């Protein structure tokens, strides 16, 4: 049976939201795809459009210690020995509200061997003439303090040309260097005089990127923006607020099969393996909450 999903629309935009993974399945502007979509049934490829919580990216060996207690999450990336993208991506979320231009989904993370407390997640998707505005909120409804991190996982599509020909604007001054085999953190590096310097828009070319960036330039309201533009002049941008100090960018390279179909742009509250490093982890006390928003809109 197909999972519950909803079509929302506003002005030139339409979107499909699915309860699977709390995910954005499709987003179009005047009929043009702004994200890489996926089928109504079956597994979601490449974590497209899902909400990654209660941690984003990789957790080394699926293990961490919090408040003196050891926790171990299932390793769902066996080739790299990591617990990837949290505990909610392969779950069916509950539909909390649905209207013509807005959908809200919810999922409860239960306490257990992988996580210390009960956590209630909600993801709201709202379309307007200004694009798709989304918010994810977490509330610690359990009895113990808990670590928290989150990211959305859309793959942006600039237009009909191959990704190599798109121009990328990425306003980040630093990136997290990772090991080549497991993509686990090594240390921070400046983008100055590096191939990852896209502070001035330029063509991506054959460059492979799967890294977390920070040192992000923002406007007076604390907003940051990643933009990709097709040679034909169409494009798409993802903007996010100060709640997200990091952004993961991935050129969606694969060893086999269709690859580089879109550019993953994932605002993150913390970097990879943050439950072990402690860097930028949100600490939710019982009753505590955290909310963060982002917007995807067409350009050109």
């Amino acid at each position: 049976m197909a999972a519950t999903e909803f079509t929302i629309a506003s002005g030139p935009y339409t979107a499909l939201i699915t309860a699977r993974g709390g995910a954005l399945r499709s987003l179009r502007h005047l009929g043009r795809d702004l994200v890489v979509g996926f089928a109504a049934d079956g597994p979601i490829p490449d974590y497209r459009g899902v909400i990654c919580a209660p941690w984003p990216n990789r957790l080394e060996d699926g293990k961490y210690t919090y408040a003196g207690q050891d926790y171990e999450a299932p390793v769902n990336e066996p080739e790299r020995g990591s617990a990837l993208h949290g505990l909610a991506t392969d779950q069916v979320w509950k539909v909390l509200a649905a209207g013509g231009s807005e959908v809200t989904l919810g999922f409860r993370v239960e306490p257990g061997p992988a996580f210390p407390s009960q956590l209630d997640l909600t993801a709201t998707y709202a379309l307007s003439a200004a694009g798709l505005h989304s918010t994810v909120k977490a509330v610690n409804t359990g009895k113990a303090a808990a670590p928290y991190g989150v990211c959305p996982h859309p793959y942006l599509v600039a237009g009909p040309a191959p990704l190599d020909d798109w121009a990328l604007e990425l306003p980040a001054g630093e990136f997290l260097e990772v090991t080549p085999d497991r993509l686990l953190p090594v240390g921070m590096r400046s983008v100055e005089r590096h191939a990852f310097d896209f502070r001035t828009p330029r063509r991506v070319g054959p460059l492979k990127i799967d890294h977390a960036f920070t040192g992000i330039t923002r406007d007076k309201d604390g907003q940051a923006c990643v933009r990709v533009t097709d040679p034909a002049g169409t494009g798409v941008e993802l903007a996010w607020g100060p709640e997200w100090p990091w952004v993961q960018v991935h050129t969606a390279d694969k060893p086999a099969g269709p690859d580089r179909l879109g550019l993953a742009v994932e605002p993150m509250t913390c970097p990879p393996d943050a439950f072990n490093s402690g860097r930028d982890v949100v600490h939710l006390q019982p009753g505590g909450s955290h909310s963060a928003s982002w917007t995807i809109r067409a350009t050109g």
Side-chain angles (χ1 to χ4, degrees), residues 6 94-99 102-106 123:
F6 294 88
K94 183 179 179 180
V95 180
L96 301 179
E102 185 171 321
V103 173
T104 298
L105 305 171

Side-chain angles (χ1 to χ4, degrees), residues 66-67 71 115-117 140 142-147 283-286:
Y66 191 75
Y71 295 91
F115 198 69
S117 190
N140 184 348
K143 298 179 180 179
H283 299 279
L284 290 178
Q285 299 299 318

Side-chain angles (χ1 to χ4, degrees), residues 24-26 33-38 48-49 155-157 261-263:
L24 171 66
R25 187 162 86 80
S26 171
D33 285 320
L34 301 183
V35 299
V36 181
F38 54 92
R48 295 177 194 171
Y155 289 78
L156 304 184
V157 177
L261 297 178
L263 185 75

Side-chain angles (χ1 to χ4, degrees), residues 5 18 20-21 23-26 35-52 76 84-85 89-90 152-156 250 252-254 256-264 266:
E5 65 179 32
T18 175
R20 290 186 294 146
L24 171 66
R25 187 162 86 80
S26 171
V35 299
V36 181
F38 54 92
D41 299 302
I44 298 177
D46 312 316
Y47 297 92
R48 295 177 194 171
V50 302
I51 301 297
C52 306
N76 57 356
L84 186 62
H85 292 325
T89 60
D90 60 349
H153 206 294
Y155 289 78
L156 304 184
H250 179 30
D253 304 277
K254 289 184 177 181
D259 68 344
R260 297 176 76 87
L261 297 178
L263 185 75
E266 312 159 42

Side-chain angles (χ1 to χ4, degrees), residues 212-225:
F213 292 80
T214 192
I216 294 166
T217 300
R218 302 174 183 272
D219 66 17
K220 60 182 178 60
D221 298 318
Q223 293 287 303
C225 181

Side-chain angles (χ1 to χ4, degrees), residues 73-86:
V75 170
N76 57 356
E77 192 187 33
E79 67 275 19
R80 293 193 174 110
S82 293
L84 186 62
H85 292 325

